[in-house]
Amino acid sequence: ENIFFMMFLVFLTAVFVIANIYNWQLINLNYYSKATFVLVTTTVILPLLFSNMKLELTRKQVIILIPIILFMISFLIRYFAVVSIGINSHQVSDYQKAFYYAEPGRSFIGSEYEIFPNWGFYAWTLQLMANVLGYSEWVLILGNVFIQSVSVSLIYYIVYIVTENCRLSVYSALFYMVWPIHIFYNIILSPEHPFIFFSLIAILCIALIAKKVVVSTKAILFLMGVAGISLGLAAMFKSLDKIMLVAVAIILILEFIFHSKNRKKISMDYLKSKKQYIIGAALFLVLYQLVVFSGYKIMDYKVGVPVNRSVLSFFIAMGLNEEMGDTAGNNYHYGALYKRMTVETNYNYKEVSK
């Protein structure tokens, strides 16, 4: 907790230092900018003022009331920030393209999302959202505000399950809540928002099982299934899901190593006692793969050609070559070459990568 106190103080100091360097004229800011600044500053200061206060909280308050309050504060901060800096803004580059294809009824054929199906999948989900709530930048941006605010509560739950420390859980959620890049990014239509959201759901489910909050076989299988589906959805928005799979594998390996070190060998009785976890892990992987497979099949259908299942090679080339251009490769030699080769090889992306 002391570490978090210091981090908050450093953050608050940095805000005022930056304000001074860049000559922020707070008195000349509009109403929404002032309100956002006050909300963020208050959110940072209040935990420090009450850091030594001993609060007797009931389980209901810890599990239900605090996450709801965190969600509401986060939503207000983000709403004021969006109104302040994003109400008159317009999407550009990849973000503008996602908004363009989010229009209900618009075809994805010719969108070039075969190279970047993650962006295509995100545009498709925006299109589904626009069908229900209406097609406008404002509506879709408010979707960012909502899922990012839910993510704040998810972080609270995860830290509380792992540490059983309510105060530390609140600080963790607040730190994510007021971090400037997360607030600013709400005005941008980017797949990072749903990626973070679904990744946190997967982490929460795994944390509930790892900390033995749930122990019944049905509950374990249900949560592992939800985790697999959530991570599969996260994978469709951003190709960083493999990191999570590696983390889960490390946890399992360490569990077996720790068990072997203390009991000399892993007995059949031990494996039988863990069968619900083993079955759950298998269910997790099956549902994860099924969601990813289905997601790519949807994009094959939407785009009209086979889509790229792994964009890593293109990103590596783009990162090492300043001539790659934007993520669609528009008007740049290597990007255009990549797109042309996908057609020449009949969308054999592995061959193009070689």
Side-chain angles (χ1 to χ4, degrees):
E1 291 183 13
N2 290 333
I3 293 175
F4 267 78
F5 297 158
M6 294 304 299
M7 292 174 71
F8 271 125
L9 287 174
V10 170
F11 171 78
L12 190 59
T13 303
V15 168
F16 285 106
V17 169
I18 293 173
N20 182 60
I21 292 176
Y22 290 97
N23 297 318
W24 281 8
Q25 301 295 321
L26 294 180
I27 194 170
N28 294 327
L29 291 178
N30 61 37
Y31 168 78
Y32 293 108
S33 296
K34 292 178 182 178
T36 302
F37 186 83
V38 171
L39 274 172
V40 172
T41 306
T42 304
T43 303
V44 173
I45 291 177
L46 281 180
L48 298 177
L49 297 178
F50 296 100
S51 60
N52 294 320
M53 181 181 294
K54 292 184 178 180
L55 301 176
E56 297 295 333
L57 299 174
T58 65
R59 183 171 180 80
K60 186 176 182 180
Q61 290 173 326
V62 171
I63 302 300
I64 299 177
L65 182 60
I66 293 178
I68 291 176
I69 293 174
L70 288 171
F71 169 83
M72 294 174 64
I73 295 174
S74 176
F75 192 91
L76 283 173
I77 290 175
R78 281 159 170 72
Y79 178 82
F80 278 117
V82 165
V83 171
S84 174
I85 62 177
I87 193 68
N88 295 318
S89 65
H90 296 285
Q91 305 298 312
V92 297
S93 187
D94 293 330
Y95 318 116
Q96 190 279 331
K97 186 174 181 178
F99 176 69
Y100 174 79
Y101 282 100
E103 184 178 1
R106 187 177 295 280
S107 172
F108 281 38
I109 295 176
S111 64
E112 298 180 347
Y113 276 142
E114 64 271 17
I115 297 177
F116 294 102
N118 303 102
W119 273 98
F121 191 82
Y122 175 62
W124 178 58
T125 59
L126 290 180
Q127 192 177 77
L128 295 177
M129 182 177 172
N131 281 327
V132 178
L133 301 176
Y135 177 65
S136 73
E137 291 186 25
W138 176 245
V139 169
L140 300 179
I141 287 173
L142 282 183
N144 292 342
V145 172
F146 178 79
I147 63 173
Q148 280 293 311
S149 298
V150 175
S151 297
V152 169
S153 296
L154 290 174
I155 289 174
Y156 166 83
Y157 278 125
I158 292 168
V159 178
Y160 181 75
I161 289 168
V162 174
T163 66
E164 297 182 358
N165 187 321
C166 181
R167 199 188 302 274
L168 189 60
S169 304
V170 171
Y171 293 150
S172 300
L174 288 175
F175 203 61
Y176 177 86
M177 180 195 300
V178 301
W179 196 252
I181 190 64
H182 292 301
I183 296 176
F184 172 77
Y185 239 69
N186 280 275
I187 69 172
I188 297 175
L189 296 177
S190 173
E192 275 85 356
H193 301 293
F195 171 78
I196 293 172
F197 173 72
F198 285 111
S199 295
L200 287 173
I201 290 178
I203 294 172
L204 176 61
C205 292
I206 294 172
L208 286 167
I209 296 171
K211 296 300 289 185
K212 293 183 171 56
V213 177
V214 296
V215 293
S216 69
T217 300
K218 288 183 178 179
I220 290 172
L221 295 180
F222 173 77
L223 288 176
M224 288 301 285
V226 173
I229 293 172
S230 298
L231 188 60
L233 289 172
M236 290 309 303
F237 291 108
K238 204 76 176 174
S239 300
L240 298 175
D241 52 295
K242 304 299 187 297
I243 297 174
M244 186 82 79
L245 292 177
V246 171
V248 173
I250 291 174
I251 291 172
L252 293 175
I253 292 171
L254 291 176
E255 161 68 15
F256 281 111
I257 291 175
F258 179 78
H259 181 87
S260 301
K261 187 176 181 180
N262 288 277
R263 294 177 175 82
K264 305 302 181 185
K265 65 177 182 179
I266 299 175
S267 64
M268 288 303 297
D269 291 336
Y270 171 76
L271 292 176
K272 288 180 180 179
S273 69
K274 300 292 183 180
K275 66 180 181 180
Q276 67 268 40
Y277 299 103
I278 297 173
I279 296 173
L283 179 64
F284 169 86
L285 292 173
V286 168
L287 290 177
Y288 160 76
Q289 290 290 350
L290 182 61
V291 170
V292 173
F293 176 81
S294 301
Y296 281 124
K297 281 297 182 181
I298 290 173
M299 291 315 302
D300 287 342
Y301 171 76
K302 294 290 292 182
V303 178
V305 296
V307 300
N308 191 2
R309 262 59 173 176
S310 177
V311 299
L312 179 61
S313 59
F314 186 89
F315 277 121
I316 291 175
M318 186 174 66
L320 296 177
N321 233 309
E322 62 181 12
E323 296 181 29
M324 266 314 259
D326 59 24
T327 51
N330 293 323
N331 303 320
Y332 289 83
H333 173 67
Y334 290 106
L337 177 63
Y338 188 93
K339 290 189 292 185
R340 189 175 75 246
M341 288 180 67
T342 60
V343 177
E344 292 175 351
T345 59
N346 195 26
Y347 301 98
N348 187 337
Y349 295 100
K350 290 184 178 180
E351 186 64 27
V352 174
S353 297
K354 291 179 182 180

